[in-house]
Amino acid sequence: MRNLLWVIPVLPFLGALLNGFLLRHRIGKKAVAAIACGTVGIAAVLGLLIIFDYLGGPEHAAHQGFEQNLYEWMPAGPLATAADGVKSFTVPMGFLIDPLSAVMLFVVTFVGFWIHVYSVGYMAHDDGFQRFFTYLNLFMGAMLLLVLGNNYVVMFVGWEGVGLCSYLLIGFYYKEDFPPYAGRKAFITNRVGDFGFVLGLFALVSTFGTLRYTELFPRIAANPSLLTGPGHFGLTLAGFIAVCMFVGAMGKSAQIPLYVWLPDAMAGPTPVSALIHAATMVTAGVYMVVRSNVIYQLAPSISMFVAVIGCATAIFAATIGLVQTDIKKVLAYSTVSQLGYMFLAAGLGAYSAAVFHLMTHAFFKALLFLGSGSVIHAMGGEQDMRKMGGLKKHMPKTFWTFVLGSGALAGLPPLAGFFSKDEILHSAAAGGHWILYAVGLITAALTAFYTFRAVNMTFLGEFRGTHEQEHHLHESPPSMTVPLLVLAVGAVFAGFVGLPVEKWNAFHHFLEPVIYRIAGHGAEEHATSALFNLVLLGVAIVVAFGFTFLAFRLYGAARGLSTDVAMERRFPAAHRVLANKYYVDELYDKTVIGGAWALARTLFRFDAGFIDGLLVNGTRNATVSFAMLSGFFDKYVVDGLVNLVATVLDGFSRVFRRLQTGYVSNYALVLAVGMFALVAVYMLIYRG
Amino acid sequence: MTFLTAHGSDLLFYLFAALTIAGGIGVVTMRNPMYGAISLLLSFLSVAALFLLRSAEFLGMVQIFVYGGGIMVLFLFVIMLVNLHRLPEIKLFGGQSPLAAVVAVLLLAFFGYFLIKFQFGPALVRPEAFVLADGQSLGNSQAVAWNLYTQNLLPFEIASVFLLIAMVGAVVLGRKQ
Amino acid sequence: MFEVTTTHYLVVSFLLFTIGIFGIAARKNMITVLMSIELVLNSVNINLIAFSYQLSDLTGQIFAIFTITVAAGEAAVGLGILIALFRLRETTMLDGAVELKG
């Protein structure tokens, strides 16, 4: 069974091939949907089967992963001997099943499948139905490559592939102006990050000559000194590699400073936001950091950097989310914020906490996005919450699933988010990083607040839209509500695999084999007392419920939008800053983008003016000069030769003309002389 | 007296040789062609005498007949025919006469060189060669006739044809158009 | 050298020949030129006879006869040409024979 591992990523690619090329414009929507959802569904089932097969197998028992290499993709031959004496660099096309990739596989295929189903309903009236599912399947294939690859190169292929699909799907409504721009913004920002990622890979190759996880990580663990020596730019080698790869994660997972693309990515269809920008693609950075944990453990300063960035991003995004009026934007900033939590955890060495939060976040954030999609669908495309309100009675299924998702996001027990978020805060507190803990706690408060602000504005109170919109309000079809229900189940129950008590934290134990513990490095598990844990738990619960309640108070039924209006009046400057997202986009525009455009313009001027001038004028001058030379040559040399011939002939003829005098006497004399000469020659030579 | 007897032929030779040369010079230098013709006649006759001195009796006679009696008459007729006008020769020896003189000198030099180089042995070793005709020693004429009609018959006939051609040619040329 | 040998005759022959050549080349009167030609032919005859005597061979004399024959024919034809030319140019000067057309 496990030998069919390679089939899992291939299936969605097959779906994309069929829908995108072979059967393009040839089959009806039902068939398209069947192919798209079918491939992902089968991949999901197959994934589960393979996971169980692996779990019962010998590799898992030995704390190893199961590898399947299809072929040697880049047999580049022996490089110089690596620092620890191993030669040869090859990159296989291969896949790996181990606890970490199993978790990712499950999340990606499960959530992906239900989002596919949801899209059938959501995109039912769109002309680009087949195109959408082609791209979606393509994305699934790339994402599966990313998480299942057994080496960094395959991961990178998937990394780039999901970036491409993100661009394709954000810009799905290409006929409008903004979506293509947003797609470009996403892709280019990603590429900036990818540059760093690739640098890190190069450094790894030059040091170890391999990029396969099962070869690389054990060797690093065995020779940590290879990476703790000096690297570049004042960092250790490990630090350099870690920061380079983290730059890639910054881009892909929307951390400061490369997060700016994610809010604009909401221009894409809502299922895209759910799948790519909540559940899967953006989590690729977290996956990568966790996968590379052995490197990060050898670079403690960079790990701390990762944690700080994550924490800063978390609170930064949360503050922006407070004043957003577009329902999807609220969720987008929320995603950035939650990703920050994951990196906070990863940076502190709590890798399993990060992955745990990744998993729970995938469920409830996908749920929230799909729910918002349902709302938007009912509102006929309206996304502004100020025009919503009181939708609860019109779409109860959507409402209740949305509430469950919001509760999970806010960290209300016993929903899933509570457990994962608490574990992260606990690891911060347990490690003595009180500032990080405090910021994280504040962020949690803000999260709860803005989440239920959104809930109230959307579903409760009076309807604030137009009459046509009110008439149009309806619950979504089953193709959309069933996935909501399924994901809601996940949002509720997924937390129970990671209970806060150590010996009951199944998730943590599950991921143990993937986390390297290098003696003398890395975050040791801090043992904390039960009291400590309980206090933390209590604080978390109080904060979460408290701010949720506050949100209800300020935005509840009667209040409506009045709080927003009042806040704006009382804190106009602060409001303006937040509403304009701290003017970060404007800053980038002026500096980076402006610089790039200026450079482009200069180069253009150089090209058009100098190069063209040089080439064009130069060619012209050269040709003209050559033509002139040619002309001269022809006129003086060639014609001169002709004239010379004529002159010579003329000279000769002048001489010879004198032979023909007409005088007989002349002829007679010449005759006599000639005869005389002949005889003389004869006589003198032959002597008579 | 004995000197004359012994060297009489030599003296005659010198006389006639001088006359020949004089006649020749006369031809070339006389302005009036009539005088030149007379000069030529003198030359011809002298040459005939020279022939006789060298045992070519027949030829001597032929010379007088043909040249003196035929050709000279012809010349004189023609001279008189065309000499009705004055003959102003602007320059007697103009044009290329210097060049011709040079050539003449060169020719003489060349001939002189060979004359000096070559020595001839005794002459007329067999005088009977000139009078032998059909094995008989008759006379020069007979000898020449016999030779002409036997050994050199072909050239003889050709000569006659040649004379015919010349005759016809002269007639044609002299016709009035 | 008083004694006359073949050489003396050759001297005469050569002299006459040279004079004749000179006459052909230098004189402008056509008649004089023709007469100079006769001189040349005569010189040749003298030469032939001299050698005939020297070698006791009759062939020389025979040859001389033919020379005389040719000279006669040539003189006739030459004078015919002269007459024709005289009729054309009204003069016996060779200048008239420089441009001959038709």
Side-chain angles (χ1 to χ4, degrees), chain A residues 461-532:
Chain A
E462 298 295 321
F463 184 71
R464 296 180 289 272
T466 67
H467 276 292
E468 303 90 75
Q469 284 172 329
E470 194 165 7
H471 282 273
H472 190 253
L473 288 174
H474 60 282
E475 182 60 89
S476 301
S479 62
M480 288 165 69
T481 54
V482 167
L484 290 178
L485 288 167
V486 172
L487 289 173
V489 168
V492 170
F493 293 106
F496 294 127
V497 298
L499 293 172
V501 182
E502 178 60 35
K503 56 180 187 275
W504 292 337
N505 194 335
F507 197 80
H508 183 81
H509 292 141
F510 184 64
L511 282 184
E512 262 304 300
V514 183
I515 315 292
Y516 287 84
R517 299 280 166 212
I518 302 174
H521 295 87
E524 286 93 20
E525 300 267 302
H526 298 274
T528 49
S529 66
L531 180 65
F532 186 80

Side-chain angles (χ1 to χ4, degrees), chain A residues 222-552:
Chain A
N223 297 311
S225 55
L226 286 171
L227 289 184
T228 52
H232 308 280
F233 306 111
L235 299 166
T236 61
L237 195 56
F240 176 73
I241 296 172
V243 77
C244 280
M245 290 169 71
F246 181 59
V247 168
M250 275 187 207
K252 189 65 76 184
S253 300
Q255 297 298 294
I256 293 173
L258 298 174
Y259 70 93
V260 291
W261 62 272
L262 202 144
D264 289 336
M266 296 300 115
T270 309
V272 169
S273 307
L275 180 62
I276 299 182
H277 307 128
T280 47
M281 185 182 94
V282 292
T283 59
V286 181
Y287 167 72
M288 186 271 291
V289 170
V290 172
R291 177 61 79 190
S292 319
N293 64 76
V294 66
I295 300 173
Y296 283 93
Q297 287 185 54
L298 291 174
S301 52
I302 299 300
S303 286
M304 182 50 65
F305 176 68
V306 170
V308 167
I309 291 283
C311 195
T313 308
I315 193 165
F316 179 78
T319 55
I320 301 181
L322 284 175
V323 299
Q324 293 302 310
T325 53
D326 183 327
I327 191 170
K328 282 179 74 175
K329 286 269 167 63
V330 174
L331 295 175
Y333 283 104
S334 167
T335 303
V336 173
S337 179
Q338 298 304 305
L339 287 167
Y341 268 116
M342 296 179 215
F343 282 107
L344 169 61
L348 292 176
Y351 300 108
S352 64
V355 179
F356 186 35
H357 196 56
L358 188 156
M359 188 176 78
T360 59
H361 176 265
F363 281 110
F364 60 70
K365 192 47 72 63
L367 169 61
L368 286 171
F369 265 112
L370 294 187
S372 74
S374 181
V375 166
I376 294 169
H377 185 84
M379 290 287 294
E382 180 63 66
Q383 295 180 211
D384 192 334
M385 294 189 291
R386 294 174 292 191
K387 302 221 174 73
M388 302 179 193
L391 296 182
K392 168 183 170 187
K393 48 184 180 292
H394 297 281
M395 25 188 9
K397 290 207 198 89
T398 306
F399 170 67
W400 284 111
T401 53
F402 199 87
V403 165
L404 283 173
S406 303
L409 174 57
L412 299 175
L415 300 173
F418 164 70
F419 294 104
S420 54
K421 197 179 294 188
D422 172 70
E423 197 174 331
I424 296 174
L425 291 175
H426 176 270
S427 57
H433 310 285
W434 290 105
I435 299 179
L436 293 176
Y437 172 79
V439 173
L441 193 62
I442 296 170
T443 309
L446 294 175
T447 307
F449 186 73
Y450 69 64
T451 307
F452 280 98
R453 165 179 174 266
V455 169
N456 276 292
M457 283 174 76
T458 308
F459 292 100
L460 303 176
E462 298 295 321
F463 184 71
R464 296 180 289 272
T466 67
H467 276 292
E468 303 90 75
Q469 284 172 329
E470 194 165 7
H471 282 273
H472 190 253
L473 288 174
H474 60 282
E475 182 60 89
S476 301
S479 62
M480 288 165 69
T481 54
V482 167
L484 290 178
L485 288 167
V486 172
L487 289 173
V489 168
V492 170
F493 293 106
F496 294 127
V497 298
L499 293 172
V501 182
E502 178 60 35
K503 56 180 187 275
W504 292 337
N505 194 335
F507 197 80
H508 183 81
H509 292 141
F510 184 64
L511 282 184
E512 262 304 300
V514 183
I515 315 292
Y516 287 84
R517 299 280 166 212
I518 302 174
H521 295 87
E524 286 93 20
E525 300 267 302
H526 298 274
T528 49
S529 66
L531 180 65
F532 186 80
N533 298 349
L534 269 174
V535 169
L536 251 49
L537 272 175
V539 170
I541 294 173
V542 164
V543 163
F545 275 109
F547 278 84
T548 305
F549 183 66
L550 187 63
F552 270 92

Side-chain angles (χ1 to χ4, degrees), chain B residues 11-25:
Chain B
L11 286 171
L12 280 174
F13 164 77
Y14 284 116
L15 172 67
F16 287 115
L19 284 175
T20 309
I21 302 297
I25 292 174

Side-chain angles (χ1 to χ4, degrees), chain A residues 27 134 194-195 385 395 413 447 463 545 554 594 629 638 646:
Chain A
I27 50 178
T134 307
D194 294 345
F195 174 63
M385 294 189 291
M395 25 188 9
T447 307
F463 184 71
F545 275 109
L554 291 177
L629 271 171
V638 175

